[in-house]
Amino acid sequence: MASQQTNEIDDLIKGLRGNPGFKAYIVLNNDGVVLRWDQEGSKMPYEKAVQYSHHVLDLYDKGARQMNELFDAEDNNIENIRLRTKDYELIAAQEGDYILVVLYNGGNKAETSTEDDEE
């Protein structure tokens, strides 16, 4: 069973690597412990993965507090966070006890240029 889950994760990461602009990934648990990180593509150092982990958990915590304040709903959980700038993009998605963080270069320039052309 555990090996099948590992294969599913490997397949997911292999698919992510095929996306244009893919830079790196990090898998962490809800306590912020880095379980896996990209050691092939960008060869992210472990210390950098821990830094991302800390900041992503902080974003989830602050976001959850703000959502509860705004919407008066204690059971609403943040499922994902997407931060996009002109040059970079970070997507964090939580599933159960794990969070997948994916980093992209370029901030999806194809989407941005299409939006700019329409204006």
Side-chain angles (χ1 to χ4, degrees):
M1 180 92 168
S3 66
Q4 184 175 357
Q5 289 175 342
T6 303
N7 289 338
E8 289 176 23
I9 292 170
D10 290 338
D11 290 343
L12 174 69
I13 291 169
K14 201 178 293 182
L16 288 171
R17 285 185 194 281
N19 290 330
F22 175 85
K23 182 177 177 185
Y25 75 91
I26 305 165
V27 177
L28 54 133
N29 66 14
N30 286 337
D31 295 325
V33 176
V34 175
L35 304 173
R36 293 178 72 170
W37 70 100
D38 197 355
Q39 297 175 2
E40 294 174 26
S42 67
K43 298 192 186 234
M44 175 185 289
Y46 177 73
E47 294 78 16
K48 191 72 167 173
V50 170
Q51 181 183 18
Y52 274 103
S53 168
H54 169 76
H55 290 299
V56 166
L57 282 181
D58 194 37
L59 279 170
Y60 266 98
D61 182 50
K62 288 179 180 177
R65 281 188 277 142
Q66 297 303 318
M67 294 295 287
N68 288 337
E69 233 177 83
L70 289 171
F71 298 114
D72 247 359
E74 295 292 323
D75 60 344
N76 280 345
N77 293 325
I78 295 176
E79 294 179 8
N80 60 60
I81 294 174
R82 180 179 180 187
L83 301 173
R84 188 169 108 178
T85 68
K86 182 179 177 184
D87 298 322
Y88 302 100
E89 183 172 21
L90 178 145
I91 300 171
Q94 184 173 18
E95 180 63 39
D97 295 333
Y98 302 98
I99 299 173
L100 172 66
V101 180
V102 181
L103 306 168
Y104 286 96
N105 281 328
N108 289 342
K109 287 183 181 176
E111 282 182 30
T112 306
S113 64
T114 305
E115 291 169 5
D116 292 342
D117 292 342
E118 291 175 1
E119 294 176 2

